Amino acid sequence: MNIETKQVNKEFGLKQVKVKRGLSKEKKNMFQAYLFIIPAILFFLALIALPLINVVWDSFHFKNLVSTLKTSFSGLENYKNVIHDENFTKALSNTTIWTVLSVAGEFILGLISAVALNQKLKGRAIFRGLIIIPWVVPIVIAGTTWIWMLTPDYGIINFLLTKFGILDKPYYWLGELNSALLTVTFVNIWRSFPYYTICLLAAMQSIPKELLEAAAIDGAGAMKRFFKIVLPQLKPVSVVLIFIHLIWTAINFDFIWVMTEGGPLNATETLPIMIYRYAMKQFDVGSASALATMMIGFMITIFVVNYYYNVRKNRV
């Protein structure tokens, strides 16, 4: 009896040792997950983190692409040079106008088109497919096409506006100080609003139909249902879209550069174009890095504020 009990205990003990020494299923899954994440981490470090660190490092040094031997520590001198640059205030103002108007126009137009495409209309699937075309067209092609369309000599837009009597003569939309930035902003809205449309349309289709039907039975009209039910349901998606596009638009370089290169007379020069001029025109990498670091800090501030706002909101 005692001998059998000892044997059982020994076997049980051996089994316990085996269980302890072996990896659990959960730990194996975690190990596999880390293996899959490692390439992404290496990619992030090599192509994003290290270049960003290098930019911040260069911002505190005098560094010029022409005279590479004269690199030295500058402290905050590069930041002072950027802030006291005569074009900095104008570029900052242009960036603010460009970003706010673009994001607001994209959201409003995207919301209107999403509501329209959510209705039961003939050929709705075709329109849903066509509306994404501006978004998938490459920026260089879209910008060049709009330059041709806006040209005062042979552009179709000036031709139609003069033909219908809206304008007395062709207008140089991209060449006038008071219209260049607004024109580029309008073109950017045209190109980017389909992204809002698709995202908001998907969010609308996820709203329970029973909720809207119950509100209709209770006597709520179409406008009341939209503002009291649809818009609140779209708020999470809308906040994410606006937050992402604030960053995307503020750091956008290629669209303005293709259409105006920051002209005329810096009328459309934004902070990213100013960074390009520092680095590629004046070869002043230190000042370009300083301005880029300032923009990075601003973006991080927006992210932190948005993050803590969402955390506090979820706690409440």
Side-chain angles (χ1 to χ4, degrees):
M1 185 75 178
N2 293 332
I3 295 173
E4 292 179 355
T5 304
K6 289 179 180 179
Q7 289 178 348
V8 171
N9 288 335
K10 286 181 179 179
E11 292 178 359
F12 184 73
L14 289 172
K15 289 182 180 178
Q16 282 185 328
V17 170
K18 287 181 180 179
V19 171
K20 288 181 180 178
R21 288 181 179 177
L23 291 174
S24 65
K25 186 176 181 180
E26 182 178 354
K27 289 183 178 179
K28 287 182 179 179
N29 291 336
M30 288 293 294
F31 180 73
Q32 291 177 354
Y34 282 123
L35 285 179
F36 285 116
I37 291 175
I38 287 174
I41 294 175
L42 294 176
F43 179 86
F44 173 80
L45 290 175
L47 297 182
I48 299 178
L50 292 180
L52 284 179
I53 294 173
N54 188 52
V55 167
V56 176
W57 175 262
D58 288 342
S59 69
F60 296 102
H61 292 78
F62 292 114
K63 189 173 183 180
N64 194 290
L65 293 178
V66 177
S67 55
T68 57
L69 298 177
K70 296 182 179 180
T71 301
S72 61
F73 183 74
S74 65
L76 298 176
E77 195 64 31
N78 287 325
Y79 293 88
K80 293 179 182 178
N81 292 337
V82 169
I83 293 175
H84 291 99
D85 192 309
E86 59 180 3
N87 296 324
F88 176 74
T89 304
K90 181 64 175 178
L92 180 61
S93 175
N94 289 341
T95 304
T96 303
I97 295 172
W98 154 262
T99 302
V100 173
L101 291 183
S102 292
V103 174
E106 291 161 5
F107 178 77
I108 294 172
L109 195 56
L111 181 61
I112 294 173
S113 57
V115 172
L117 292 176
N118 197 38
Q119 308 303 315
K120 294 181 180 180
L121 302 171
K122 288 184 178 181
R124 181 175 61 177
I126 297 175
F127 288 113
R128 287 179 178 177
L130 292 176
I131 201 168
I132 198 67
I133 290 177
W135 174 255
V136 299
V137 173
I139 291 178
V140 174
I141 296 176
T144 305
T145 302
W146 273 96
I147 291 174
W148 293 341
M149 294 171 61
L150 293 167
T151 300
D153 298 329
Y154 51 82
I156 185 64
I157 293 179
N158 278 295
F159 172 76
L160 293 176
L161 291 176
T162 53
K163 182 177 181 180
F164 290 105
I166 300 176
L167 293 178
D168 296 330
K169 59 181 181 179
Y171 186 79
Y172 194 7
W173 299 96
L174 295 174
E176 298 293 336
L177 296 178
N178 57 354
S179 64
L181 182 60
L182 296 178
T183 302
V184 177
T185 303
F186 170 79
V187 177
N188 185 54
I189 293 172
W190 164 84
R191 183 185 178 274
S192 302
F193 89 90
Y195 185 82
Y196 285 78
T197 302
I198 300 301
C199 295
L200 294 174
L201 180 59
M204 285 182 186
Q205 292 178 338
S206 65
I207 300 174
K209 294 182 179 179
E210 296 79 8
L211 190 63
L212 297 172
E213 292 173 355
I217 293 173
D218 291 339
M223 295 298 293
K224 192 171 184 179
R225 292 198 302 271
F226 177 75
F227 286 103
K228 296 294 183 180
I229 298 176
V230 177
L231 272 185
Q233 294 290 329
L234 296 179
K235 186 176 180 180
V237 177
S238 301
V239 170
V240 173
L241 281 173
I242 292 173
F243 175 72
I244 292 175
H245 273 260
L246 281 173
I247 297 176
W248 284 357
T249 307
I251 64 175
N252 184 281
F253 161 80
D254 42 9
F255 205 76
I256 296 179
W257 185 259
V258 167
M259 295 194 68
T260 63
E261 296 187 5
L265 297 177
N266 301 321
T268 60
E269 183 176 70
T270 56
L271 294 179
I273 292 180
M274 194 173 177
I275 293 173
Y276 179 84
R277 291 193 186 280
Y278 274 133
M280 299 302 171
K281 299 292 185 179
Q282 302 175 16
F283 307 110
D284 187 356
V285 177
S287 297
S289 300
L291 183 52
T293 303
M294 292 167 64
M295 291 192 67
I296 293 171
F298 177 72
M299 299 304 169
I300 292 176
T301 302
I302 293 179
F303 174 80
V304 171
V305 170
N306 180 71
Y307 175 77
Y308 279 104
Y309 170 78
N310 291 330
V311 169
R312 290 184 60 184
K313 185 178 179 182
N314 293 332
R315 286 179 180 177
V316 176

